[in-house]
Amino acid sequence: MKFLLMSLVSHRPDPVSGEKKSPAERFREVIDTAVLAEELGYDGFAVGERHEDPFISASPPVVLSNIAARTSTIGLFTAVTTLSLLDPVRAFEDYSTLDNLSDGRLELIIGKGNGSAQAALFHVTPEDQWDRNREGYELFRALWDSDSVTWSGRFRPPLVDAKALPRPLQSRIRIWHGSATSRESVDLAARHGDPIFSANVTNPPEPYAELIRHYRERWAHYGRRPEDALVGAGTAGFHVAATSQEAVAAYRFTFEARLAAQRSAGIPVVFDSLEDLVERSSALIGSPEQVIDKIGRYHEQFGHEVIHLSADADGIPARQQRRSLELFQSDVAPVIREWIPSRPLAAAKALKEVLV
């Protein structure tokens, strides 16, 4: 199994001290965490895309370019690229540039996005955002695959023998389809032979497992070999400590701050206590033994090869956060990697080509 750290670059006051970093300080913190992730042996670092409070992750290619400049081997992911909001040509230009700057370490996770703010900013409605996402994906893929593209669609002007530059380093980029609830999304992925990345965050794992089963059914429907399907999954929270009691105590401020934010925003609460989150959600909060057991139980349902772990832990002191990342790599990751095989990421392929 491969392990990614993921940040949505949340920008909230610290739930313990009440202090709020500047945007510049928060970005530096995320970049430093990505550098640490490479040092510790994580396989990838993912940056989300959000266009509303309390997040400042509006421009993943810019953040990932900074990470690319300070690292050399770690995989670079988006989580997600909201193609429903972006001009696919401009998105191609940004990510093709990043692909070159990172020596081909880039992988995309795409999605239609969520939140009311993006509708106001980009004039995208719930009625058309899925169609925009699908159309954006198809044009983006065409631009990546060909030097000359002739195309027409609903949401942008047509193209005639268009050549978008720069040309990417990777001849074919891996595009994951991020999905929480959409059967349309997993069908699109299966139709094009792409992997899916299940959010696995807001609810218990069962509805996500059902969606993954649907993906595998559609994969077979399109005549593809079952063993070629590739699945990733997220987690609802992450903190590892020597004992479960230490892990839960360290994570409590983080959970309570997020719960208060959910209630303030009127978002339905699924897990109303930290104990409930640990018990019923995908959160990996506990001792190394507990985390190993939970990953194994979810793998039985999902059959996933890649998992992302949140790098955002408001309220947990930096020393404890670093110790959690170290403990996961020393006591959890080796066991899971030996137990659950996984295919190489783009970064591993790029490194192999450099060494050859």
Side-chain angles (χ1 to χ4, degrees):
M1 182 171 280
K2 301 292 191 296
F3 301 103
L4 319 178
L5 290 186
M6 189 273 284
S7 176
L8 292 173
V9 199
S10 58
H11 190 223
R12 301 181 178 94
D14 185 277
V16 179
S17 68
E19 297 179 0
K20 186 176 182 179
K21 296 180 175 69
S22 70
E25 290 172 323
R26 183 69 183 102
F27 281 125
R28 282 196 293 271
E29 185 176 62
V30 170
I31 304 301
D32 288 345
T33 301
V35 173
L36 175 63
E38 179 171 272
E39 293 173 359
L40 294 179
Y42 285 86
D43 300 289
F45 194 91
V47 175
E49 181 179 337
R50 291 289 184 90
H51 299 274
E52 61 187 342
D53 281 336
F55 307 102
I56 53 174
S57 53
S59 185
V62 176
V63 180
L64 288 169
S65 290
N66 198 304
I67 293 172
R70 292 190 54 194
T71 59
S72 58
T73 60
I74 197 167
L76 305 176
F77 285 73
T78 61
V80 300
T81 296
T82 52
L83 280 178
S84 62
L85 311 181
L86 307 176
D87 182 320
V89 177
R90 189 70 181 111
F92 166 82
E93 291 173 338
D94 285 343
Y95 285 111
S96 179
T97 300
L98 175 54
D99 190 48
N100 282 282
L101 291 173
S102 66
D103 294 322
R105 290 186 278 146
L106 177 65
E107 302 194 28
L108 298 187
I109 306 175
I110 66 166
K112 62 180 176 54
N114 52 35
S116 58
Q118 70 178 26
L121 287 170
F122 296 95
H123 300 284
V124 173
T125 69
E127 290 73 32
D128 69 15
Q129 64 179 357
W130 164 247
D131 289 335
R132 287 176 179 273
N133 184 71
R134 176 190 52 77
E135 183 175 291
Y137 162 79
E138 291 174 348
L139 177 52
F140 183 94
R141 176 62 88 187
L143 291 165
W144 199 283
D145 290 347
S146 177
D147 286 351
S148 178
V149 173
T150 296
W151 174 92
S152 64
R154 289 175 55 196
F155 301 107
R156 77 170 319 278
L159 300 173
V160 178
D161 293 330
K163 183 174 184 178
L165 298 171
R167 298 309 301 159
L169 184 62
Q170 296 181 75
S171 60
R172 184 169 179 85
I173 190 173
R174 180 182 282 159
I175 299 179
W176 303 72
H177 295 244
S179 184
T181 59
S182 172
R183 288 195 166 209
E184 292 89 345
S185 178
V186 300
D187 183 82
L188 181 67
R191 191 186 324 152
H192 287 275
D194 292 331
I196 64 167
F197 215 105
S198 172
N200 193 32
V201 170
T202 307
N203 297 293
E206 287 73 23
Y208 303 110
E210 181 179 346
L211 199 62
I212 291 170
R213 286 193 292 271
H214 181 68
Y215 166 69
R216 296 185 188 279
E217 289 169 3
R218 299 308 294 169
W219 185 272
H221 169 80
Y222 290 113
R224 305 186 185 281
R225 299 191 310 165
E227 62 268 26
D228 291 338
L230 178 58
V231 174
T235 53
F238 171 59
H239 191 73
V240 186
T243 67
S244 60
Q245 293 85 354
E246 290 177 73
V248 168
Y251 200 80
R252 191 167 298 279
F253 283 115
T254 301
F255 172 79
E256 291 178 352
R258 292 178 182 174
L259 182 63
Q262 280 183 292
R263 288 174 169 159
S264 175
I267 300 171
V269 172
V270 177
F271 308 107
D272 60 3
S273 71
L274 177 53
E275 289 69 24
D276 188 32
L277 181 81
V278 172
E279 176 65 27
R280 294 195 302 121
S281 83
S282 61
L284 301 178
I285 301 168
S287 67
E289 294 78 11
Q290 289 171 310
V291 169
I292 290 169
D293 177 69
K294 202 166 192 180
I295 293 174
R297 284 188 280 119
Y298 288 150
H299 179 72
E300 290 176 0
Q301 295 187 65
F302 293 176
H304 56 310
E305 298 180 26
V306 181
I307 192 169
H308 78 49
L309 311 164
S310 177
D312 299 327
D314 307 324
I316 298 178
R319 177 182 55 80
Q320 285 181 279
Q321 171 74 343
R322 180 180 180 118
R323 180 56 186 148
S324 171
L325 297 176
E326 292 171 341
L327 194 58
F328 184 90
Q329 276 299 315
S330 64
D331 290 25
V332 176
V335 176
I336 300 298
R337 285 193 175 111
E338 183 176 354
W339 181 16
I340 302 173
S342 55
R343 281 159 272 194
L345 300 179
K349 294 178 182 178
L351 180 61
K352 183 178 180 180
E353 290 176 2
V354 169
L355 293 176
V356 170

